[in-house]
Amino acid sequence: MNLRNLNTNVGSARCGKIQCCLVVTDPAIHSLLDRCCSSFNFETHLVEWDVPTPRYLFEAERDAGVRTAGLLARQASDRLEAIMRAIGAGVRRYAKGDRFAIPMAAHIVVASKR
């Protein structure tokens, strides 16, 4: 996965002997970490996920996404084909030359324990 436009220098925080960098998608975690961590930084960055083909996103979800893979595995073949075509059509909107740059948001959280 190539994430372009991730313009940040994210340091790692010390958590005892373990260095940790958390990437979370739920802003509510911000409040929790703010209460229990002496050092805390939460940033949102817009990035692009470069994929080689319009079908790649469907295949990644079918083969690697645990919950989505389970859902897709239970679909009838005609329905699965329709889902694949719909995802491919959505990805084609993000064509950039010979690649497809799917926009994504990344929440980057760096925290250290009190």
Side-chain angles (χ1 to χ4, degrees):
M1 177 187 331
N2 180 10
L3 295 177
R4 295 181 181 266
N5 301 330
L6 185 56
N7 298 320
T8 187
N9 293 320
V10 177
S12 59
R14 276 304 263 178
C15 297
K17 291 184 177 182
I18 301 169
Q19 288 191 352
C20 56
C21 179
L22 308 171
V23 178
V24 298
T25 58
D26 186 352
I29 292 176
H30 182 284
S31 177
L32 173 67
L33 291 174
D34 198 30
R35 288 173 173 44
C36 70
C37 298
S38 59
S39 174
F40 173 74
N41 188 27
F42 182 96
E43 298 176 6
T44 300
H45 295 271
L46 298 179
V47 298
E48 291 178 338
W49 179 21
D50 284 344
V51 298
T53 66
R55 190 172 169 159
Y56 184 88
L57 179 60
F58 170 80
E59 292 169 348
E61 288 295 339
R62 181 195 63 200
D63 299 337
V66 175
R67 283 182 246 161
T68 306
L71 176 68
L72 293 174
R74 289 171 180 78
Q75 302 302 312
S77 60
D78 60 329
R79 190 170 294 250
L80 190 62
E81 181 69 29
I83 293 168
M84 183 181 61
R85 282 193 310 269
I87 291 173
V91 171
R92 280 188 199 87
R93 295 183 303 187
Y94 303 107
K96 286 192 175 182
D98 64 345
R99 65 185 176 92
F100 300 86
I102 302 171
M104 303 182 94
H107 299 295
I108 301 174
V109 179
V110 180
S112 65
K113 203 172 178 180
R114 290 186 199 259

